[in-house]
PDB file of all heavy atoms in Angstrom:
ATOM      1  N   TYR A 110       1.608   7.963   8.090  1.00 97.00           N
ATOM      2  CA  TYR A 110       1.472   9.358   8.495  1.00 97.00           C
ATOM      3  C   TYR A 110       0.807  10.132   7.412  1.00 97.00           C
ATOM      4  O   TYR A 110       1.115   9.991   6.208  1.00 97.00           O
ATOM      5  CB  TYR A 110       2.819   9.988   8.779  1.00 97.00           C
ATOM      6  CG  TYR A 110       2.778  11.470   8.962  1.00 97.00           C
ATOM      7  CD1 TYR A 110       2.015  12.050   9.967  1.00 97.00           C
ATOM      8  CD2 TYR A 110       3.472  12.299   8.071  1.00 97.00           C
ATOM      9  CE1 TYR A 110       1.955  13.433  10.126  1.00 97.00           C
ATOM     10  CE2 TYR A 110       3.412  13.667   8.207  1.00 97.00           C
ATOM     11  CZ  TYR A 110       2.660  14.241   9.255  1.00 97.00           C
ATOM     12  OH  TYR A 110       2.584  15.630   9.375  1.00 97.00           O
ATOM     13  N   PRO A 112      -0.432  14.069   6.562  1.00 96.00           N
ATOM     14  CA  PRO A 112      -0.479  15.486   6.953  1.00 96.00           C
ATOM     15  C   PRO A 112      -1.539  16.282   6.233  1.00 96.00           C
ATOM     16  O   PRO A 112      -1.738  17.449   6.581  1.00 96.00           O
ATOM     17  CB  PRO A 112       0.931  15.973   6.594  1.00 96.00           C
ATOM     18  CG  PRO A 112       1.285  15.159   5.370  1.00 96.00           C
ATOM     19  CD  PRO A 112       0.646  13.827   5.581  1.00 96.00           C
ATOM     20  N   HIS A 113      -2.147  15.729   5.202  1.00 95.00           N
ATOM     21  CA  HIS A 113      -2.965  16.545   4.330  1.00 95.00           C
ATOM     22  C   HIS A 113      -4.480  16.178   4.368  1.00 95.00           C
ATOM     23  O   HIS A 113      -5.324  17.083   4.369  1.00 95.00           O
ATOM     24  CB  HIS A 113      -2.516  16.456   2.883  1.00 95.00           C
ATOM     25  CG  HIS A 113      -1.073  16.869   2.712  1.00 95.00           C
ATOM     26  ND1 HIS A 113      -0.578  18.059   3.181  1.00 95.00           N
ATOM     27  CD2 HIS A 113      -0.062  16.240   2.073  1.00 95.00           C
ATOM     28  CE1 HIS A 113       0.700  18.157   2.855  1.00 95.00           C
ATOM     29  NE2 HIS A 113       1.029  17.043   2.217  1.00 95.00           N
ATOM     30  N   HIS A 210       8.433  17.467  13.943  1.00 94.00           N
ATOM     31  CA  HIS A 210       8.434  16.011  14.121  1.00 94.00           C
ATOM     32  C   HIS A 210       9.129  15.380  12.873  1.00 94.00           C
ATOM     33  O   HIS A 210       9.326  16.044  11.866  1.00 94.00           O
ATOM     34  CB  HIS A 210       7.016  15.488  14.254  1.00 94.00           C
ATOM     35  CG  HIS A 210       6.114  15.813  13.117  1.00 94.00           C
ATOM     36  ND1 HIS A 210       6.082  15.099  11.937  1.00 94.00           N
ATOM     37  CD2 HIS A 210       5.206  16.812  12.970  1.00 94.00           C
ATOM     38  CE1 HIS A 210       5.206  15.603  11.120  1.00 94.00           C
ATOM     39  NE2 HIS A 210       4.624  16.683  11.714  1.00 94.00           N
ATOM     40  N   PRO A 211       9.425  14.076  12.913  1.00 92.00           N
ATOM     41  CA  PRO A 211      10.253  13.439  11.873  1.00 92.00           C
ATOM     42  C   PRO A 211       9.533  13.282  10.563  1.00 92.00           C
ATOM     43  O   PRO A 211      10.170  12.979   9.529  1.00 92.00           O
ATOM     44  CB  PRO A 211      10.545  12.053  12.479  1.00 92.00           C
ATOM     45  CG  PRO A 211      10.355  12.156  13.912  1.00 92.00           C
ATOM     46  CD  PRO A 211       9.252  13.200  14.116  1.00 92.00           C
ATOM     47  N   GLY A 212       8.237  13.454  10.467  1.00 92.00           N
ATOM     48  CA  GLY A 212       7.528  13.218   9.245  1.00 92.00           C
ATOM     49  C   GLY A 212       7.183  14.489   8.490  1.00 92.00           C
ATOM     50  O   GLY A 212       6.273  14.436   7.587  1.00 92.00           O
ATOM     51  N   MET A 213       7.873  15.589   8.721  1.00 91.00           N
ATOM     52  CA  MET A 213       7.463  16.848   8.125  1.00 91.00           C
ATOM     53  C   MET A 213       7.783  16.933   6.642  1.00 91.00           C
ATOM     54  O   MET A 213       7.386  17.885   5.971  1.00 91.00           O
ATOM     55  CB  MET A 213       8.144  17.997   8.883  1.00 91.00           C
ATOM     56  CG  MET A 213       7.626  18.170  10.298  1.00 91.00           C
ATOM     57  SD  MET A 213       8.437  19.470  11.273  1.00 91.00           S
ATOM     58  CE  MET A 213       7.806  20.913  10.399  1.00 91.00           C
ATOM     59  N   PHE A 214       8.413  15.963   6.076  1.00 89.00           N
ATOM     60  CA  PHE A 214       8.714  15.919   4.636  1.00 89.00           C
ATOM     61  C   PHE A 214       7.488  15.482   3.800  1.00 89.00           C
ATOM     62  O   PHE A 214       7.472  15.731   2.629  1.00 89.00           O
ATOM     63  CB  PHE A 214       9.904  14.970   4.327  1.00 89.00           C
ATOM     64  CG  PHE A 214       9.717  13.582   4.933  1.00 89.00           C
ATOM     65  CD1 PHE A 214       8.978  12.605   4.229  1.00 89.00           C
ATOM     66  CD2 PHE A 214      10.221  13.262   6.187  1.00 89.00           C
ATOM     67  CE1 PHE A 214       8.780  11.388   4.775  1.00 89.00           C
ATOM     68  CE2 PHE A 214      10.001  12.020   6.733  1.00 89.00           C
ATOM     69  CZ  PHE A 214       9.317  11.053   6.027  1.00 89.00           C
ATOM     70  N   GLY A 215       6.521  14.823   4.383  1.00 92.00           N
ATOM     71  CA  GLY A 215       5.318  14.431   3.609  1.00 92.00           C
ATOM     72  C   GLY A 215       4.734  13.108   4.064  1.00 92.00           C
ATOM     73  O   GLY A 215       5.281  12.424   4.937  1.00 92.00           O
ATOM     74  N   PRO A 216       3.628  12.728   3.450  1.00 95.00           N
ATOM     75  CA  PRO A 216       2.947  11.468   3.833  1.00 95.00           C
ATOM     76  C   PRO A 216       3.679  10.260   3.356  1.00 95.00           C
ATOM     77  O   PRO A 216       4.437  10.262   2.410  1.00 95.00           O
ATOM     78  CB  PRO A 216       1.588  11.585   3.133  1.00 95.00           C
ATOM     79  CG  PRO A 216       1.883  12.455   1.884  1.00 95.00           C
ATOM     80  CD  PRO A 216       2.894  13.415   2.329  1.00 95.00           C
ATOM     81  N   PHE A 217       3.452   9.131   4.105  1.00 96.00           N
ATOM     82  CA  PHE A 217       4.052   7.842   3.717  1.00 96.00           C
ATOM     83  C   PHE A 217       3.319   6.710   4.427  1.00 96.00           C
ATOM     84  O   PHE A 217       2.648   6.960   5.395  1.00 96.00           O
ATOM     85  CB  PHE A 217       5.543   7.798   4.028  1.00 96.00           C
ATOM     86  CG  PHE A 217       5.908   7.918   5.478  1.00 96.00           C
ATOM     87  CD1 PHE A 217       6.059   6.766   6.267  1.00 96.00           C
ATOM     88  CD2 PHE A 217       6.088   9.144   6.071  1.00 96.00           C
ATOM     89  CE1 PHE A 217       6.374   6.874   7.618  1.00 96.00           C
ATOM     90  CE2 PHE A 217       6.415   9.216   7.445  1.00 96.00           C
ATOM     91  CZ  PHE A 217       6.526   8.092   8.221  1.00 96.00           C
ATOM     92  N   GLN A 218       3.469   5.505   3.860  1.00 97.00           N
ATOM     93  CA  GLN A 218       2.891   4.329   4.497  1.00 97.00           C
ATOM     94  C   GLN A 218       3.940   3.226   4.584  1.00 97.00           C
ATOM     95  O   GLN A 218       4.789   3.144   3.711  1.00 97.00           O
ATOM     96  CB  GLN A 218       1.689   3.811   3.685  1.00 97.00           C
ATOM     97  CG  GLN A 218       0.408   4.626   3.784  1.00 97.00           C
ATOM     98  CD  GLN A 218       0.483   5.899   2.979  1.00 97.00           C
ATOM     99  OE1 GLN A 218       0.975   5.907   1.919  1.00 97.00           O
ATOM    100  NE2 GLN A 218      -0.024   6.974   3.577  1.00 97.00           N
ATOM    101  N   VAL A 231       7.974   0.485   2.263  1.00 97.00           N
ATOM    102  CA  VAL A 231       7.503   1.848   2.481  1.00 97.00           C
ATOM    103  C   VAL A 231       7.101   2.434   1.146  1.00 97.00           C
ATOM    104  O   VAL A 231       7.777   2.237   0.144  1.00 97.00           O
ATOM    105  CB  VAL A 231       8.624   2.717   3.146  1.00 97.00           C
ATOM    106  CG1 VAL A 231       8.260   4.179   3.094  1.00 97.00           C
ATOM    107  CG2 VAL A 231       8.849   2.268   4.591  1.00 97.00           C
ATOM    108  N   TYR A 232       5.972   3.170   1.206  1.00 96.00           N
ATOM    109  CA  TYR A 232       5.468   3.814  -0.007  1.00 96.00           C
ATOM    110  C   TYR A 232       5.422   5.311   0.207  1.00 96.00           C
ATOM    111  O   TYR A 232       4.925   5.821   1.225  1.00 96.00           O
ATOM    112  CB  TYR A 232       4.010   3.307  -0.272  1.00 96.00           C
ATOM    113  CG  TYR A 232       3.247   4.101  -1.301  1.00 96.00           C
ATOM    114  CD1 TYR A 232       3.285   3.756  -2.654  1.00 96.00           C
ATOM    115  CD2 TYR A 232       2.452   5.161  -0.936  1.00 96.00           C
ATOM    116  CE1 TYR A 232       2.532   4.466  -3.586  1.00 96.00           C
ATOM    117  CE2 TYR A 232       1.689   5.912  -1.856  1.00 96.00           C
ATOM    118  CZ  TYR A 232       1.753   5.555  -3.163  1.00 96.00           C
ATOM    119  OH  TYR A 232       1.041   6.232  -4.116  1.00 96.00           O
ATOM    120  N   THR A 233       5.957   6.055  -0.730  1.00 94.00           N
ATOM    121  CA  THR A 233       5.850   7.515  -0.772  1.00 94.00           C
ATOM    122  C   THR A 233       5.419   7.916  -2.176  1.00 94.00           C
ATOM    123  O   THR A 233       5.745   7.204  -3.124  1.00 94.00           O
ATOM    124  CB  THR A 233       7.089   8.220  -0.402  1.00 94.00           C
ATOM    125  OG1 THR A 233       8.095   7.980  -1.365  1.00 94.00           O
ATOM    126  CG2 THR A 233       7.588   7.819   0.990  1.00 94.00           C
ATOM    127  N   GLU A 234       4.708   8.997  -2.307  1.00 88.00           N
ATOM    128  CA  GLU A 234       4.256   9.377  -3.639  1.00 88.00           C
ATOM    129  C   GLU A 234       4.452  10.854  -3.918  1.00 88.00           C
ATOM    130  O   GLU A 234       4.613  11.666  -2.996  1.00 88.00           O
ATOM    131  CB  GLU A 234       2.792   8.977  -3.875  1.00 88.00           C
ATOM    132  CG  GLU A 234       1.774   9.788  -3.117  1.00 88.00           C
ATOM    133  CD  GLU A 234       0.338   9.411  -3.450  1.00 88.00           C
ATOM    134  OE1 GLU A 234       0.085   8.242  -3.564  1.00 88.00           O
ATOM    135  OE2 GLU A 234      -0.488  10.354  -3.615  1.00 88.00           O
ATOM    136  N   ALA A 250      14.415   3.473   9.003  1.00 97.00           N
ATOM    137  CA  ALA A 250      14.352   4.923   9.307  1.00 97.00           C
ATOM    138  C   ALA A 250      12.890   5.437   9.353  1.00 97.00           C
ATOM    139  O   ALA A 250      12.541   6.215  10.214  1.00 97.00           O
ATOM    140  CB  ALA A 250      15.078   5.677   8.228  1.00 97.00           C
ATOM    141  N   TYR A 251      12.070   4.884   8.438  1.00 97.00           N
ATOM    142  CA  TYR A 251      10.645   5.273   8.452  1.00 97.00           C
ATOM    143  C   TYR A 251       9.948   4.685   9.660  1.00 97.00           C
ATOM    144  O   TYR A 251       9.033   5.378  10.229  1.00 97.00           O
ATOM    145  CB  TYR A 251       9.938   4.790   7.164  1.00 97.00           C
ATOM    146  CG  TYR A 251      10.171   5.722   5.958  1.00 97.00           C
ATOM    147  CD1 TYR A 251      11.243   5.517   5.150  1.00 97.00           C
ATOM    148  CD2 TYR A 251       9.337   6.768   5.708  1.00 97.00           C
ATOM    149  CE1 TYR A 251      11.488   6.360   4.047  1.00 97.00           C
ATOM    150  CE2 TYR A 251       9.562   7.606   4.616  1.00 97.00           C
ATOM    151  CZ  TYR A 251      10.653   7.385   3.792  1.00 97.00           C
ATOM    152  OH  TYR A 251      10.883   8.242   2.731  1.00 97.00           O
ATOM    153  N   ALA A 254      10.695   6.836  12.541  1.00 96.00           N
ATOM    154  CA  ALA A 254       9.953   8.102  12.450  1.00 96.00           C
ATOM    155  C   ALA A 254       8.535   7.902  12.914  1.00 96.00           C
ATOM    156  O   ALA A 254       7.991   8.752  13.711  1.00 96.00           O
ATOM    157  CB  ALA A 254       9.974   8.622  11.030  1.00 96.00           C
ATOM    158  N   LEU A 255       7.915   6.829  12.548  1.00 97.00           N
ATOM    159  CA  LEU A 255       6.505   6.525  12.954  1.00 97.00           C
ATOM    160  C   LEU A 255       6.445   6.315  14.466  1.00 97.00           C
ATOM    161  O   LEU A 255       5.535   6.847  15.136  1.00 97.00           O
ATOM    162  CB  LEU A 255       5.980   5.275  12.236  1.00 97.00           C
ATOM    163  CG  LEU A 255       5.584   5.458  10.805  1.00 97.00           C
ATOM    164  CD1 LEU A 255       5.356   4.064  10.137  1.00 97.00           C
ATOM    165  CD2 LEU A 255       4.265   6.271  10.730  1.00 97.00           C
ATOM    166  N   MET A 258       6.791   9.732  16.058  1.00 96.00           N
ATOM    167  CA  MET A 258       5.563  10.531  15.924  1.00 96.00           C
ATOM    168  C   MET A 258       4.407  10.014  16.779  1.00 96.00           C
ATOM    169  O   MET A 258       3.622  10.773  17.292  1.00 96.00           O
ATOM    170  CB  MET A 258       5.168  10.579  14.449  1.00 96.00           C
ATOM    171  CG  MET A 258       6.069  11.489  13.575  1.00 96.00           C
ATOM    172  SD  MET A 258       5.393  11.769  11.923  1.00 96.00           S
ATOM    173  CE  MET A 258       5.790  10.185  11.172  1.00 96.00           C
TER     174      MET A 258
END
Side-chain angles (χ1 to χ4, degrees):
Y110 167 62
H113 303 309
H210 57 82
M213 294 179 68
F214 52 85
F217 63 93
Q218 285 76 41
V231 168
Y232 168 90
T233 65
E234 71 177 43
Y251 279 90
L255 282 168
M258 284 189 286

